[in-house]
């Protein structure tokens, strides 16, 4: 993106953050001289005069503020933001990167103003010009209530391959939006289809969303997918941090069946169930009376017991 493009984006954000009024009456720029004209598609383009009117409204004119009083608090761009909108002509958006960034930014501004239909148009334009998934999801994240989730679901169905580029972000949005059952189903799907050990975030989602329901699934998947003892230790760390030693013990036992001398798992077992830890250590000594690893753990346990 050009320096001018970067300055524009920063200026808009500054203008947004410094807003003092109560209205966000944003019109689309003119195709020939507005914010995003000339290069690429310009959904819902206005005439030049309408664009000038929009810039005035964005500055928080008394007329605009008065018209919005009954609609509740909304977002306002200051005079600085409006001036940037007027000044930033279509020639600055000749590069595809700048164009899709512009659509993405407008989508966020419309979403912040609660204008769902306008935000959707800008989101579609951003997707079609190659915007990144995270940029689009930021805009969707600004849409509060069921409308935001409904739009996200509709866009996911239509642009499935696009959103699958960042499956973790999709799962995070579902969970944040309260679609817990769908987030769990989606995370399980990604775990089931992963080659080897899956993205760690999917494990975290299952543990945080409904540990009791997901523990049997995770344990079964760990066995059938041959997850390593190190991964059993990672899951144990997560569960211990949530004070769920009962669930952690299941993964410790499975992990030690893979590697009886995994030090992290043995340390956890000594903390959670000392008697069981001694059983494992004695098993090692029965197999090899001179097992240094077993003797070190046994000595530490005796020292702790006084």
């Amino acid at each position: 993106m050009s320096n001018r493009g970067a300055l524009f984006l920063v200026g808009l954000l500054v203008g947004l953050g410094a807003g003092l009024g109560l209205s966000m009456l944003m019109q689309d720029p003119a195709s020939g001289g507005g914010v995003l004209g000339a290069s690429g598609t310009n959904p819902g383009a206005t005439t030049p005069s309408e664009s000038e009117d929009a810039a005035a409204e964005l500055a928080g004119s008394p007329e605009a503020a008065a018209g919005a009083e009954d609609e509740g608090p909304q977002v306002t761009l200051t005079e600085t933001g409006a001036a940037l909108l007027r000044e930033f002509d279509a020639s600055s958006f000749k590069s595809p990167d700048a164009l899709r960034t512009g659509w993405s930014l407008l989508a966020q501004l419309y979403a912040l103003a609660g204008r769902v239909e306008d935000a959707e148009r800008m989101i579609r334009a951003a997707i079609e010009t190659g915007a990144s998934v995270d940029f689009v999801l930021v805009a969707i994240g600004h849409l509060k209530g069921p409308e935001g989730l409904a739009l996200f679901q509709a866009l996911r169905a239509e642009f499935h391959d696009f959103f699958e580029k960042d499956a973790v972000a999709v799962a995070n949005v579902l969970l944040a939006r309260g679609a817990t059952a769908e987030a769990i189903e989606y995370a399980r799907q990604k775990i089931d289809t992963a080659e080897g050990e899956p993205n760690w975030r999917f494990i975290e989602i299952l543990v945080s969303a409904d540990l009791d329901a997901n523990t049997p699934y995770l344990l079964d998947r760990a066995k059938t997918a041959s997850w390593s003892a190190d991964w059993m230790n990672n899951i144990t760390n997560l569960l211990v941090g949530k004070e769920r030693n009962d669930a952690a013990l299941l993964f410790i036992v499975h992990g030690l069946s893979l590697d009886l001398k995994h030090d992290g798992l043995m340390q956890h077992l000594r903390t959670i169930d000392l008697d069981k830890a001694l059983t494992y250590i004695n098993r090692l000594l029965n197999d090899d009376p001179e097992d240094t690893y077993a003797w070190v753990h046994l000595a530490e346990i005796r020292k702790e017991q006084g």
Side-chain angles (χ1 to χ4, degrees):
M1 186 190 306
S2 66
N3 290 335
R4 182 180 174 85
L7 177 62
F8 166 69
L9 299 181
V10 172
L12 269 184
L13 291 176
V14 170
L16 178 62
L20 299 175
L22 294 175
S23 69
M24 173 63 177
L25 302 174
M26 187 173 189
Q27 304 295 325
D28 289 332
S31 60
V35 181
L36 295 174
S39 176
T41 310
N42 188 7
T46 63
T47 65
S49 61
E50 288 172 331
S51 183
E52 292 172 2
D53 292 342
E57 290 176 343
L58 283 166
S61 65
E63 293 81 2
E69 286 178 354
D70 295 334
E71 299 177 7
Q74 296 184 14
V75 181
T76 299
L77 290 179
T78 62
E79 181 65 40
T80 301
L84 283 167
L85 284 173
R86 287 194 296 265
E87 178 187 356
F88 203 75
D89 58 55
S91 63
S92 300
F93 275 102
K94 287 183 178 178
S95 74
D97 179 64
L99 182 62
R100 58 177 167 262
T101 302
W103 292 136
S104 300
L105 182 60
L106 284 176
Q108 291 185 46
L109 295 176
Y110 278 131
L112 281 165
R115 293 175 56 161
V116 179
E117 292 183 1
D118 291 327
E120 180 180 355
R121 288 189 299 112
M122 294 301 113
I123 289 170
R124 289 177 179 278
I127 293 173
E128 290 166 359
T129 51
S132 63
V133 178
D134 58 342
F135 219 152
V136 171
L137 290 179
V138 167
I140 293 175
H142 290 315
L143 293 169
K144 308 303 180 184
E147 294 87 356
L149 179 60
L151 175 58
F152 177 55
Q153 301 289 47
L155 290 172
R156 272 187 66 208
E158 184 174 348
F159 300 100
H160 177 268
D161 292 344
F162 170 78
F163 285 102
E164 285 301 294
K165 295 176 185 177
D166 195 342
V168 170
V170 170
N172 286 336
V173 171
L174 290 172
L175 194 63
R177 288 288 180 173
T180 305
E182 189 170 353
I184 290 174
E185 181 182 358
Y186 187 75
R188 286 191 177 193
Q189 175 193 343
K190 294 305 174 186
I191 291 173
D192 288 342
T193 56
E195 295 183 4
E197 289 155 348
N199 187 295
W200 179 249
R201 178 55 185 156
F202 296 129
I203 304 294
E204 292 180 322
I205 287 174
L206 294 186
V207 169
S208 63
D210 191 341
L211 176 58
D212 291 332
N214 289 313
T215 293
Y217 164 79
L218 285 172
L219 190 59
D220 178 70
R221 190 62 193 165
K223 295 175 180 178
T224 57
S226 300
W227 293 354
S228 67
D230 285 339
W231 258 67
M232 296 304 95
N233 189 54
N234 292 339
I235 294 175
T236 299
N237 290 335
L238 181 61
L239 296 174
V240 168
K242 294 182 174 296
E243 300 182 347
R244 287 299 304 269
N245 290 351
D246 55 330
L249 187 58
L250 299 173
F251 293 92
I252 292 171
V253 170
H254 175 59
L256 289 174
S257 73
L258 303 174
D259 182 0
L260 191 52
K261 292 185 179 182
H262 193 287
D263 199 56
L265 291 169
M266 185 61 75
Q267 292 288 356
H268 278 305
L269 186 58
R270 284 171 49 182
T271 302
I272 294 173
D273 191 334
L274 182 57
D275 289 339
K276 189 178 289 293
L278 286 170
T279 299
Y280 280 104
I281 292 170
N282 287 328
R283 183 189 303 174
L284 287 171
L285 291 173
N286 287 335
D287 292 340
D288 181 3
E290 296 183 2
D291 190 313
T292 303
Y293 174 86
W295 279 113
V296 167
H297 274 279
L298 188 58
E300 289 176 353
I301 291 172
R302 297 309 182 204
K303 183 178 180 181
E304 290 170 0
Q305 291 178 330

